[in-house]
Amino acid sequence: MLKMSLYRVIEAGYRRGGRRLSTHIAPLFQETTPTQQETFSENEEDIIEQKRNKSRLKQWHFAKYHSQIQELTDDEEQVLSLRFQRKLYGSYGAISGISSAKLWPSKEELATEKERESITYPHTVQEMINIAKEQKKQEEKLLKERQEDLVRKVAKLKEWKMEVNKRVAKQEKEAQEAKEKKERLIEEVRSILGYRIDPKDERFKEALLKKEMEDKKASKAAKKLARQQRLIERLTEASAEVPSAGRSSTDDEPNRDPPSNTSGSPEV
Amino acid sequence: QDEVMTSSGTEKALSLLRRLPRVSIGNLGPNPGAHNEKRRGRGIYGGKTHGAGSGGSGQRQNFMRVGYETGNTPFYLRFSYQTYYKGHHLKLSYTPLCMGKLQMMIDTNRLRCDVPVDVTQLMATGLFSISPQQKEGGFMLENEGIDHFKATINIEVQWANEAVIASVERNGGFITTAYFDPLSLTAAIKPVEFFGRGIAIPRRMLPPQHLIDYYSDPKNRGYLADPAEVARERFLLAQKYGYELPDVNASPNKDILLERKDPRQIFFGLEPGWVVNLKDKVILKPTDPELKEHFAS
């Protein structure tokens, strides 16, 4: 059978709303090989063979049933996908006429595949094993560090507990003292005033203020006294060390009257 | 007088029966209360509000949205996320295969022992279904039946624990754990369909990073582990579990038991790059050096 010359190629299409390419119903190309039914063979045998087919099946159904396949035309080879052509080979074998070169990845497909692999599997086996080992080591290291840290901290735990308790006790004590002091003041003021009085009252506050001033003076006097005592002690110590003749007793009396001002007061 | 005990009621009934015409569907009526003459309510009072109550938002069908709890944060809004399936799309699941079932299959000739057993052979029994698209990795052997497992086989699965490995090796068999990436697994479980696609057998890809640990460990008989270390672990396991390790060189199935796949190989006896055609029963091998190099890498 002579193959007819190439004509304009129409794109692969669909017919009657179907989802599959209807190559057998509507040819995709302007030239087709004549179907079995159309052949007008000179050979008597072929004519008889055609007449023997009483199945009344459609040509494509008959072919499918008997696993027959027509070789693809040049146009069909160009238009139909590689995937489809490979499947034809897979189902029918060599009689499909598909060149075996199409079964392996084409240059473009190979390039794409290599690129995909380089991104999806960037490491070799050894590298991956090493990465896994490193990860494990890291995890163990972190764990170990944490454990050591905990051990160190647990050793100090008793000390920290004591500190906390001390601080709390101190705070409590201070609060208690302040409260007691306040109570004492109130009581003393009350005893001074002689009658029960509300702490918020004005008179109470005045009395409180007076009391505070007095307290301050007393504490100041006490401090001064304490300072003087210390001075005396220091001097006695110094005199004891130095065995030379003692000083005049007048020097030891701090409360001496200040010398009178002889410069004379200004005349009015 | 009659001494027969007949009640007047019975007599009446019997006399009725004699006189009246034949009982038929046309003469019969239902017992009172047999038919519930429920009529759909129509009209203002006979209709009786059809369950909506009288007046108010109930009758106006004024419902709050489903789940609304009259103001407080409803249950369906309380939890902004739940971690039950976190990372599940990154993990593989495996079809469990008990040792007892494996023994049964071998005993009933459902599974061939005279060839190395791998995913393809196990799927050929027709008893299992694996879908790699649903993130299924293959087979994992379970402990059930390890005590009475008696077969000597060379088996390759995707996951196995220590006890299972011991039970296989105790009988002189060999076990390997191997990883199949989804495309390779699709080819391995349905080889006939795969060959019908008319494409070259692909290379099996490496496991992902989180699984490389498992498959490179000789304790798990991983396919990426050093064979010498695997042999050593075999010996140690025998000591641990207390059985005598049979000598493989003495067994008649030595060749079968010692057959192992290359890490890039999917089928026993077939290399990546070959095209298998079941219709013509031929194997085509590539000649292009670039292709050869790619499939050999």
PDB file of all heavy atoms in Angstrom, chain A residues 86-87 89-94 103-104 110 117 121 125 128-129 131-132, chain B residues 196-198 200 203 205-207 209 273 275 277 279-280 284 286 290-291 294:
ATOM      1  N   ARG A  86       4.071   5.267  23.208  1.00  0.00           N
ATOM      2  CA  ARG A  86       4.745   4.232  24.003  1.00  0.00           C
ATOM      3  C   ARG A  86       3.753   3.208  24.507  1.00  0.00           C
ATOM      4  O   ARG A  86       4.032   2.010  24.574  1.00  0.00           O
ATOM      5  CB  ARG A  86       5.484   4.876  25.175  1.00  0.00           C
ATOM      6  CG  ARG A  86       6.755   5.569  24.776  1.00  0.00           C
ATOM      7  CD  ARG A  86       7.280   6.435  25.888  1.00  0.00           C
ATOM      8  NE  ARG A  86       8.451   7.171  25.475  1.00  0.00           N
ATOM      9  CZ  ARG A  86       8.898   8.259  26.086  1.00  0.00           C
ATOM     10  NH1 ARG A  86       8.260   8.746  27.129  1.00  0.00           N
ATOM     11  NH2 ARG A  86       9.997   8.868  25.657  1.00  0.00           N
ATOM     12  N   LYS A  87       2.575   3.718  24.869  1.00  0.00           N
ATOM     13  CA  LYS A  87       1.531   2.801  25.358  1.00  0.00           C
ATOM     14  C   LYS A  87       1.082   1.858  24.255  1.00  0.00           C
ATOM     15  O   LYS A  87       0.804   0.673  24.496  1.00  0.00           O
ATOM     16  CB  LYS A  87       0.320   3.606  25.848  1.00  0.00           C
ATOM     17  CG  LYS A  87       0.378   3.951  27.310  1.00  0.00           C
ATOM     18  CD  LYS A  87      -0.989   4.285  27.830  1.00  0.00           C
ATOM     19  CE  LYS A  87      -0.986   5.663  28.434  1.00  0.00           C
ATOM     20  NZ  LYS A  87      -2.287   6.042  28.963  1.00  0.00           N
ATOM     21  N   TYR A  89       2.953   0.792  21.858  1.00  0.00           N
ATOM     22  CA  TYR A  89       3.991  -0.235  21.779  1.00  0.00           C
ATOM     23  C   TYR A  89       3.835  -1.243  22.907  1.00  0.00           C
ATOM     24  O   TYR A  89       3.964  -2.454  22.706  1.00  0.00           O
ATOM     25  CB  TYR A  89       5.387   0.409  21.832  1.00  0.00           C
ATOM     26  CG  TYR A  89       6.479  -0.624  21.855  1.00  0.00           C
ATOM     27  CD1 TYR A  89       6.878  -1.253  20.687  1.00  0.00           C
ATOM     28  CD2 TYR A  89       7.079  -1.014  23.050  1.00  0.00           C
ATOM     29  CE1 TYR A  89       7.848  -2.229  20.702  1.00  0.00           C
ATOM     30  CE2 TYR A  89       8.051  -1.979  23.070  1.00  0.00           C
ATOM     31  CZ  TYR A  89       8.438  -2.593  21.904  1.00  0.00           C
ATOM     32  OH  TYR A  89       9.386  -3.566  21.922  1.00  0.00           O
ATOM     33  N   GLY A  90       3.584  -0.712  24.128  1.00  0.00           N
ATOM     34  CA  GLY A  90       3.444  -1.584  25.285  1.00  0.00           C
ATOM     35  C   GLY A  90       2.328  -2.596  25.131  1.00  0.00           C
ATOM     36  O   GLY A  90       2.437  -3.735  25.553  1.00  0.00           O
ATOM     37  N   SER A  91       1.194  -2.148  24.519  1.00  0.00           N
ATOM     38  CA  SER A  91       0.035  -3.029  24.386  1.00  0.00           C
ATOM     39  C   SER A  91       0.171  -3.976  23.185  1.00  0.00           C
ATOM     40  O   SER A  91      -0.231  -5.131  23.264  1.00  0.00           O
ATOM     41  CB  SER A  91      -1.235  -2.221  24.212  1.00  0.00           C
ATOM     42  OG  SER A  91      -1.228  -1.105  25.054  1.00  0.00           O
ATOM     43  N   TYR A  92       0.692  -3.480  22.053  1.00  0.00           N
ATOM     44  CA  TYR A  92       0.655  -4.265  20.818  1.00  0.00           C
ATOM     45  C   TYR A  92       1.997  -4.851  20.419  1.00  0.00           C
ATOM     46  O   TYR A  92       2.050  -5.789  19.633  1.00  0.00           O
ATOM     47  CB  TYR A  92       0.131  -3.399  19.658  1.00  0.00           C
ATOM     48  CG  TYR A  92      -1.294  -2.962  19.855  1.00  0.00           C
ATOM     49  CD1 TYR A  92      -1.587  -1.654  20.261  1.00  0.00           C
ATOM     50  CD2 TYR A  92      -2.344  -3.830  19.660  1.00  0.00           C
ATOM     51  CE1 TYR A  92      -2.887  -1.247  20.446  1.00  0.00           C
ATOM     52  CE2 TYR A  92      -3.655  -3.430  19.847  1.00  0.00           C
ATOM     53  CZ  TYR A  92      -3.916  -2.139  20.245  1.00  0.00           C
ATOM     54  OH  TYR A  92      -5.203  -1.736  20.438  1.00  0.00           O
ATOM     55  N   GLY A  93       3.073  -4.266  20.921  1.00  0.00           N
ATOM     56  CA  GLY A  93       4.381  -4.799  20.535  1.00  0.00           C
ATOM     57  C   GLY A  93       4.901  -4.178  19.250  1.00  0.00           C
ATOM     58  O   GLY A  93       4.566  -3.062  18.893  1.00  0.00           O
ATOM     59  N   ALA A  94       5.710  -4.946  18.539  1.00  0.00           N
ATOM     60  CA  ALA A  94       6.399  -4.424  17.353  1.00  0.00           C
ATOM     61  C   ALA A  94       5.449  -4.144  16.195  1.00  0.00           C
ATOM     62  O   ALA A  94       5.732  -3.271  15.360  1.00  0.00           O
ATOM     63  CB  ALA A  94       7.473  -5.400  16.914  1.00  0.00           C
ATOM     64  N   LEU A 103      11.020   4.842  22.921  1.00  0.00           N
ATOM     65  CA  LEU A 103      10.676   4.269  24.227  1.00  0.00           C
ATOM     66  C   LEU A 103      11.525   4.833  25.350  1.00  0.00           C
ATOM     67  O   LEU A 103      11.098   4.838  26.499  1.00  0.00           O
ATOM     68  CB  LEU A 103      10.833   2.748  24.177  1.00  0.00           C
ATOM     69  CG  LEU A 103      10.066   2.068  23.035  1.00  0.00           C
ATOM     70  CD1 LEU A 103      10.409   0.610  22.995  1.00  0.00           C
ATOM     71  CD2 LEU A 103       8.584   2.265  23.194  1.00  0.00           C
ATOM     72  N   TRP A 104      12.721   5.286  25.010  1.00  0.00           N
ATOM     73  CA  TRP A 104      13.596   5.851  26.037  1.00  0.00           C
ATOM     74  C   TRP A 104      13.411   7.365  26.090  1.00  0.00           C
ATOM     75  O   TRP A 104      12.893   7.972  25.141  1.00  0.00           O
ATOM     76  CB  TRP A 104      15.054   5.498  25.724  1.00  0.00           C
ATOM     77  CG  TRP A 104      15.356   4.097  26.075  1.00  0.00           C
ATOM     78  CD1 TRP A 104      15.725   3.606  27.275  1.00  0.00           C
ATOM     79  CD2 TRP A 104      15.272   2.984  25.190  1.00  0.00           C
ATOM     80  NE1 TRP A 104      15.888   2.256  27.209  1.00  0.00           N
ATOM     81  CE2 TRP A 104      15.622   1.838  25.942  1.00  0.00           C
ATOM     82  CE3 TRP A 104      14.951   2.822  23.847  1.00  0.00           C
ATOM     83  CZ2 TRP A 104      15.656   0.567  25.403  1.00  0.00           C
ATOM     84  CZ3 TRP A 104      14.977   1.556  23.303  1.00  0.00           C
ATOM     85  CH2 TRP A 104      15.324   0.444  24.076  1.00  0.00           C
ATOM     86  N   LEU A 110      15.232  13.837  29.209  1.00  0.00           N
ATOM     87  CA  LEU A 110      16.384  13.464  30.021  1.00  0.00           C
ATOM     88  C   LEU A 110      16.913  14.661  30.789  1.00  0.00           C
ATOM     89  O   LEU A 110      17.236  14.561  31.984  1.00  0.00           O
ATOM     90  CB  LEU A 110      17.480  12.884  29.115  1.00  0.00           C
ATOM     91  CG  LEU A 110      18.583  12.107  29.817  1.00  0.00           C
ATOM     92  CD1 LEU A 110      18.015  10.897  30.508  1.00  0.00           C
ATOM     93  CD2 LEU A 110      19.653  11.692  28.829  1.00  0.00           C
ATOM     94  N   GLU A 117      16.061  15.657  39.453  1.00  0.00           N
ATOM     95  CA  GLU A 117      16.794  14.830  40.422  1.00  0.00           C
ATOM     96  C   GLU A 117      17.794  15.646  41.218  1.00  0.00           C
ATOM     97  O   GLU A 117      17.961  15.453  42.420  1.00  0.00           O
ATOM     98  CB  GLU A 117      17.535  13.722  39.680  1.00  0.00           C
ATOM     99  CG  GLU A 117      16.784  12.421  39.668  1.00  0.00           C
ATOM    100  CD  GLU A 117      17.514  11.365  38.902  1.00  0.00           C
ATOM    101  OE1 GLU A 117      18.688  11.100  39.231  1.00  0.00           O
ATOM    102  OE2 GLU A 117      16.919  10.824  37.974  1.00  0.00           O
ATOM    103  N   TYR A 121      17.116  15.300  44.956  1.00  0.00           N
ATOM    104  CA  TYR A 121      18.107  14.469  45.653  1.00  0.00           C
ATOM    105  C   TYR A 121      19.488  15.103  45.504  1.00  0.00           C
ATOM    106  O   TYR A 121      20.317  14.604  44.755  1.00  0.00           O
ATOM    107  CB  TYR A 121      18.102  13.051  45.075  1.00  0.00           C
ATOM    108  CG  TYR A 121      16.754  12.386  45.104  1.00  0.00           C
ATOM    109  CD1 TYR A 121      15.956  12.356  43.974  1.00  0.00           C
ATOM    110  CD2 TYR A 121      16.264  11.815  46.277  1.00  0.00           C
ATOM    111  CE1 TYR A 121      14.709  11.757  43.999  1.00  0.00           C
ATOM    112  CE2 TYR A 121      15.019  11.206  46.306  1.00  0.00           C
ATOM    113  CZ  TYR A 121      14.251  11.191  45.167  1.00  0.00           C
ATOM    114  OH  TYR A 121      13.025  10.609  45.191  1.00  0.00           O
ATOM    115  N   VAL A 125      24.466   9.147  48.751  1.00  0.00           N
ATOM    116  CA  VAL A 125      24.118   8.299  49.895  1.00  0.00           C
ATOM    117  C   VAL A 125      25.023   8.606  51.078  1.00  0.00           C
ATOM    118  O   VAL A 125      24.559   8.792  52.208  1.00  0.00           O
ATOM    119  CB  VAL A 125      24.249   6.809  49.522  1.00  0.00           C
ATOM    120  CG1 VAL A 125      23.870   5.944  50.689  1.00  0.00           C
ATOM    121  CG2 VAL A 125      23.384   6.474  48.338  1.00  0.00           C
ATOM    122  N   MET A 128      24.236  11.817  52.763  1.00  0.00           N
ATOM    123  CA  MET A 128      22.997  11.745  53.547  1.00  0.00           C
ATOM    124  C   MET A 128      23.235  11.021  54.862  1.00  0.00           C
ATOM    125  O   MET A 128      22.734  11.418  55.914  1.00  0.00           O
ATOM    126  CB  MET A 128      21.916  11.007  52.752  1.00  0.00           C
ATOM    127  CG  MET A 128      21.392  11.818  51.605  1.00  0.00           C
ATOM    128  SD  MET A 128      20.160  10.933  50.677  1.00  0.00           S
ATOM    129  CE  MET A 128      18.699  11.442  51.486  1.00  0.00           C
ATOM    130  N   ILE A 129      24.037   9.934  54.781  1.00  0.00           N
ATOM    131  CA  ILE A 129      24.321   9.178  56.005  1.00  0.00           C
ATOM    132  C   ILE A 129      25.082  10.060  56.983  1.00  0.00           C
ATOM    133  O   ILE A 129      24.809  10.064  58.190  1.00  0.00           O
ATOM    134  CB  ILE A 129      25.089   7.885  55.665  1.00  0.00           C
ATOM    135  CG1 ILE A 129      24.183   6.915  54.902  1.00  0.00           C
ATOM    136  CG2 ILE A 129      25.650   7.236  56.904  1.00  0.00           C
ATOM    137  CD1 ILE A 129      24.874   5.717  54.342  1.00  0.00           C
ATOM    138  N   ILE A 131      25.042  13.321  57.134  1.00  0.00           N
ATOM    139  CA  ILE A 131      24.133  14.350  57.663  1.00  0.00           C
ATOM    140  C   ILE A 131      23.302  13.770  58.801  1.00  0.00           C
ATOM    141  O   ILE A 131      23.118  14.394  59.848  1.00  0.00           O
ATOM    142  CB  ILE A 131      23.211  14.894  56.541  1.00  0.00           C
ATOM    143  CG1 ILE A 131      24.015  15.757  55.567  1.00  0.00           C
ATOM    144  CG2 ILE A 131      22.070  15.701  57.123  1.00  0.00           C
ATOM    145  CD1 ILE A 131      23.304  16.068  54.289  1.00  0.00           C
ATOM    146  N   ALA A 132      22.825  12.538  58.581  1.00  0.00           N
ATOM    147  CA  ALA A 132      22.004  11.897  59.621  1.00  0.00           C
ATOM    148  C   ALA A 132      22.812  11.715  60.901  1.00  0.00           C
ATOM    149  O   ALA A 132      22.313  11.969  62.006  1.00  0.00           O
ATOM    150  CB  ALA A 132      21.490  10.556  59.117  1.00  0.00           C
TER     151      ALA A 132
ATOM    152  N   GLY B 196       3.236  -2.444  30.239  1.00  0.00           N
ATOM    153  CA  GLY B 196       2.323  -2.021  29.178  1.00  0.00           C
ATOM    154  C   GLY B 196       2.454  -0.556  28.821  1.00  0.00           C
ATOM    155  O   GLY B 196       1.899  -0.109  27.824  1.00  0.00           O
ATOM    156  N   ARG B 197       3.191   0.176  29.646  1.00  0.00           N
ATOM    157  CA  ARG B 197       3.356   1.602  29.351  1.00  0.00           C
ATOM    158  C   ARG B 197       4.446   1.860  28.331  1.00  0.00           C
ATOM    159  O   ARG B 197       4.577   2.970  27.821  1.00  0.00           O
ATOM    160  CB  ARG B 197       3.719   2.361  30.642  1.00  0.00           C
ATOM    161  CG  ARG B 197       2.553   2.468  31.586  1.00  0.00           C
ATOM    162  CD  ARG B 197       2.674   3.662  32.453  1.00  0.00           C
ATOM    163  NE  ARG B 197       3.229   3.328  33.753  1.00  0.00           N
ATOM    164  CZ  ARG B 197       3.911   4.195  34.500  1.00  0.00           C
ATOM    165  NH1 ARG B 197       4.126   5.411  34.092  1.00  0.00           N
ATOM    166  NH2 ARG B 197       4.361   3.827  35.672  1.00  0.00           N
ATOM    167  N   GLY B 198       5.250   0.841  28.088  1.00  0.00           N
ATOM    168  CA  GLY B 198       6.271   0.957  27.051  1.00  0.00           C
ATOM    169  C   GLY B 198       7.407   1.903  27.386  1.00  0.00           C
ATOM    170  O   GLY B 198       7.980   2.523  26.502  1.00  0.00           O
ATOM    171  N   ALA B 200      11.121   2.732  29.731  1.00  0.00           N
ATOM    172  CA  ALA B 200      12.281   2.063  30.318  1.00  0.00           C
ATOM    173  C   ALA B 200      12.100   1.947  31.826  1.00  0.00           C
ATOM    174  O   ALA B 200      11.531   2.837  32.459  1.00  0.00           O
ATOM    175  CB  ALA B 200      13.544   2.857  30.007  1.00  0.00           C
ATOM    176  N   ARG B 203      15.282   4.086  37.582  1.00  0.00           N
ATOM    177  CA  ARG B 203      16.146   3.788  38.707  1.00  0.00           C
ATOM    178  C   ARG B 203      15.371   4.023  39.990  1.00  0.00           C
ATOM    179  O   ARG B 203      14.588   4.965  40.068  1.00  0.00           O
ATOM    180  CB  ARG B 203      17.374   4.709  38.713  1.00  0.00           C
ATOM    181  CG  ARG B 203      18.336   4.439  37.621  1.00  0.00           C
ATOM    182  CD  ARG B 203      18.802   5.710  36.981  1.00  0.00           C
ATOM    183  NE  ARG B 203      19.598   6.555  37.842  1.00  0.00           N
ATOM    184  CZ  ARG B 203      19.352   7.826  38.095  1.00  0.00           C
ATOM    185  NH1 ARG B 203      18.316   8.426  37.563  1.00  0.00           N
ATOM    186  NH2 ARG B 203      20.145   8.530  38.863  1.00  0.00           N
ATOM    187  N   MET B 205      14.917   5.441  43.544  1.00  0.00           N
ATOM    188  CA  MET B 205      15.507   6.619  44.182  1.00  0.00           C
ATOM    189  C   MET B 205      15.869   6.325  45.640  1.00  0.00           C
ATOM    190  O   MET B 205      15.363   5.380  46.242  1.00  0.00           O
ATOM    191  CB  MET B 205      14.531   7.778  44.126  1.00  0.00           C
ATOM    192  CG  MET B 205      14.347   8.322  42.728  1.00  0.00           C
ATOM    193  SD  MET B 205      15.840   9.101  42.134  1.00  0.00           S
ATOM    194  CE  MET B 205      16.034   8.317  40.579  1.00  0.00           C
ATOM    195  N   LEU B 206      16.713   7.185  46.194  1.00  0.00           N
ATOM    196  CA  LEU B 206      17.147   7.014  47.581  1.00  0.00           C
ATOM    197  C   LEU B 206      16.039   7.370  48.556  1.00  0.00           C
ATOM    198  O   LEU B 206      15.129   8.118  48.201  1.00  0.00           O
ATOM    199  CB  LEU B 206      18.351   7.917  47.866  1.00  0.00           C
ATOM    200  CG  LEU B 206      19.658   7.542  47.189  1.00  0.00           C
ATOM    201  CD1 LEU B 206      20.670   8.640  47.432  1.00  0.00           C
ATOM    202  CD2 LEU B 206      20.178   6.218  47.727  1.00  0.00           C
ATOM    203  N   PRO B 207      16.132   6.869  49.790  1.00  0.00           N
ATOM    204  CA  PRO B 207      15.124   7.272  50.785  1.00  0.00           C
ATOM    205  C   PRO B 207      15.304   8.732  51.176  1.00  0.00           C
ATOM    206  O   PRO B 207      16.373   9.299  50.968  1.00  0.00           O
ATOM    207  CB  PRO B 207      15.422   6.375  51.990  1.00  0.00           C
ATOM    208  CG  PRO B 207      16.488   5.455  51.583  1.00  0.00           C
ATOM    209  CD  PRO B 207      17.071   5.900  50.313  1.00  0.00           C
ATOM    210  N   GLN B 209      15.690  11.963  53.808  1.00  0.00           N
ATOM    211  CA  GLN B 209      16.705  12.145  54.869  1.00  0.00           C
ATOM    212  C   GLN B 209      16.286  11.473  56.183  1.00  0.00           C
ATOM    213  O   GLN B 209      17.109  10.854  56.854  1.00  0.00           O
ATOM    214  CB  GLN B 209      16.937  13.647  55.097  1.00  0.00           C
ATOM    215  CG  GLN B 209      18.041  13.981  56.069  1.00  0.00           C
ATOM    216  CD  GLN B 209      19.402  13.539  55.585  1.00  0.00           C
ATOM    217  OE1 GLN B 209      19.811  13.818  54.470  1.00  0.00           O
ATOM    218  NE2 GLN B 209      20.100  12.809  56.428  1.00  0.00           N
ATOM    219  N   GLY B 273      16.704   0.941  32.784  1.00  0.00           N
ATOM    220  CA  GLY B 273      17.033   1.302  31.410  1.00  0.00           C
ATOM    221  C   GLY B 273      16.508   0.307  30.407  1.00  0.00           C
ATOM    222  O   GLY B 273      16.400   0.625  29.223  1.00  0.00           O
ATOM    223  N   VAL B 275      13.756  -2.005  28.435  1.00  0.00           N
ATOM    224  CA  VAL B 275      12.335  -1.921  28.099  1.00  0.00           C
ATOM    225  C   VAL B 275      11.834  -3.342  27.916  1.00  0.00           C
ATOM    226  O   VAL B 275      12.373  -4.086  27.090  1.00  0.00           O
ATOM    227  CB  VAL B 275      12.105  -1.097  26.821  1.00  0.00           C
ATOM    228  CG1 VAL B 275      10.636  -1.107  26.448  1.00  0.00           C
ATOM    229  CG2 VAL B 275      12.595   0.321  27.002  1.00  0.00           C
ATOM    230  N   ASN B 277       8.783  -5.876  26.890  1.00  0.00           N
ATOM    231  CA  ASN B 277       7.501  -5.951  26.184  1.00  0.00           C
ATOM    232  C   ASN B 277       6.920  -7.344  26.373  1.00  0.00           C
ATOM    233  O   ASN B 277       7.522  -8.337  25.957  1.00  0.00           O
ATOM    234  CB  ASN B 277       7.688  -5.643  24.701  1.00  0.00           C
ATOM    235  CG  ASN B 277       6.359  -5.471  24.020  1.00  0.00           C
ATOM    236  OD1 ASN B 277       5.773  -6.416  23.509  1.00  0.00           O
ATOM    237  ND2 ASN B 277       5.852  -4.259  24.037  1.00  0.00           N
ATOM    238  N   LYS B 279       4.041  -8.455  25.192  1.00  0.00           N
ATOM    239  CA  LYS B 279       3.323  -8.980  24.015  1.00  0.00           C
ATOM    240  C   LYS B 279       4.271  -9.793  23.132  1.00  0.00           C
ATOM    241  O   LYS B 279       3.972 -10.897  22.725  1.00  0.00           O
ATOM    242  CB  LYS B 279       2.746  -7.789  23.235  1.00  0.00           C
ATOM    243  CG  LYS B 279       1.656  -8.147  22.265  1.00  0.00           C
ATOM    244  CD  LYS B 279       0.337  -8.293  23.002  1.00  0.00           C
ATOM    245  CE  LYS B 279      -0.899  -8.522  22.135  1.00  0.00           C
ATOM    246  NZ  LYS B 279      -0.863  -9.282  20.995  1.00  0.00           N
ATOM    247  N   ASP B 280       5.447  -9.179  22.849  1.00  0.00           N
ATOM    248  CA  ASP B 280       6.433  -9.860  22.010  1.00  0.00           C
ATOM    249  C   ASP B 280       7.400 -10.701  22.825  1.00  0.00           C
ATOM    250  O   ASP B 280       8.205 -11.432  22.240  1.00  0.00           O
ATOM    251  CB  ASP B 280       7.255  -8.828  21.212  1.00  0.00           C
ATOM    252  CG  ASP B 280       6.395  -8.005  20.293  1.00  0.00           C
ATOM    253  OD1 ASP B 280       5.296  -8.473  19.937  1.00  0.00           O
ATOM    254  OD2 ASP B 280       6.823  -6.885  19.936  1.00  0.00           O
ATOM    255  N   LEU B 284      14.387  -4.923  25.489  1.00  0.00           N
ATOM    256  CA  LEU B 284      15.202  -4.016  24.696  1.00  0.00           C
ATOM    257  C   LEU B 284      16.132  -3.253  25.621  1.00  0.00           C
ATOM    258  O   LEU B 284      15.708  -2.756  26.650  1.00  0.00           O
ATOM    259  CB  LEU B 284      14.317  -3.033  23.930  1.00  0.00           C
ATOM    260  CG  LEU B 284      13.208  -3.643  23.072  1.00  0.00           C
ATOM    261  CD1 LEU B 284      12.363  -2.551  22.464  1.00  0.00           C
ATOM    262  CD2 LEU B 284      13.783  -4.517  21.984  1.00  0.00           C
ATOM    263  N   PRO B 286      19.166  -0.165  26.020  1.00  0.00           N
ATOM    264  CA  PRO B 286      19.592   1.066  25.324  1.00  0.00           C
ATOM    265  C   PRO B 286      21.026   0.943  24.816  1.00  0.00           C
ATOM    266  O   PRO B 286      21.853   0.251  25.393  1.00  0.00           O
ATOM    267  CB  PRO B 286      19.508   2.134  26.419  1.00  0.00           C
ATOM    268  CG  PRO B 286      19.667   1.394  27.685  1.00  0.00           C
ATOM    269  CD  PRO B 286      19.116   0.041  27.473  1.00  0.00           C
ATOM    270  N   GLU B 290      24.807   8.069  26.406  1.00  0.00           N
ATOM    271  CA  GLU B 290      24.283   9.017  27.410  1.00  0.00           C
ATOM    272  C   GLU B 290      23.194   8.352  28.267  1.00  0.00           C
ATOM    273  O   GLU B 290      23.156   8.478  29.485  1.00  0.00           O
ATOM    274  CB  GLU B 290      23.707  10.237  26.689  1.00  0.00           C
ATOM    275  CG  GLU B 290      23.691  11.500  27.538  1.00  0.00           C
ATOM    276  CD  GLU B 290      23.040  12.661  26.808  1.00  0.00           C
ATOM    277  OE1 GLU B 290      23.314  12.816  25.595  1.00  0.00           O
ATOM    278  OE2 GLU B 290      22.263  13.386  27.446  1.00  0.00           O
ATOM    279  N   LEU B 291      22.333   7.613  27.557  1.00  0.00           N
ATOM    280  CA  LEU B 291      21.253   6.920  28.273  1.00  0.00           C
ATOM    281  C   LEU B 291      21.818   5.842  29.185  1.00  0.00           C
ATOM    282  O   LEU B 291      21.373   5.672  30.321  1.00  0.00           O
ATOM    283  CB  LEU B 291      20.285   6.285  27.274  1.00  0.00           C
ATOM    284  CG  LEU B 291      19.257   7.199  26.621  1.00  0.00           C
ATOM    285  CD1 LEU B 291      18.487   6.432  25.559  1.00  0.00           C
ATOM    286  CD2 LEU B 291      18.308   7.783  27.630  1.00  0.00           C
ATOM    287  N   HIS B 294      23.180   7.407  32.199  1.00  0.00           N
ATOM    288  CA  HIS B 294      22.122   7.898  33.100  1.00  0.00           C
ATOM    289  C   HIS B 294      21.508   6.764  33.894  1.00  0.00           C
ATOM    290  O   HIS B 294      21.337   6.853  35.118  1.00  0.00           O
ATOM    291  CB  HIS B 294      21.044   8.594  32.265  1.00  0.00           C
ATOM    292  CG  HIS B 294      19.824   8.939  33.037  1.00  0.00           C
ATOM    293  ND1 HIS B 294      19.809   9.938  33.979  1.00  0.00           N
ATOM    294  CD2 HIS B 294      18.569   8.424  33.028  1.00  0.00           C
ATOM    295  CE1 HIS B 294      18.608  10.024  34.506  1.00  0.00           C
ATOM    296  NE2 HIS B 294      17.833   9.120  33.957  1.00  0.00           N
TER     297      HIS B 294
END
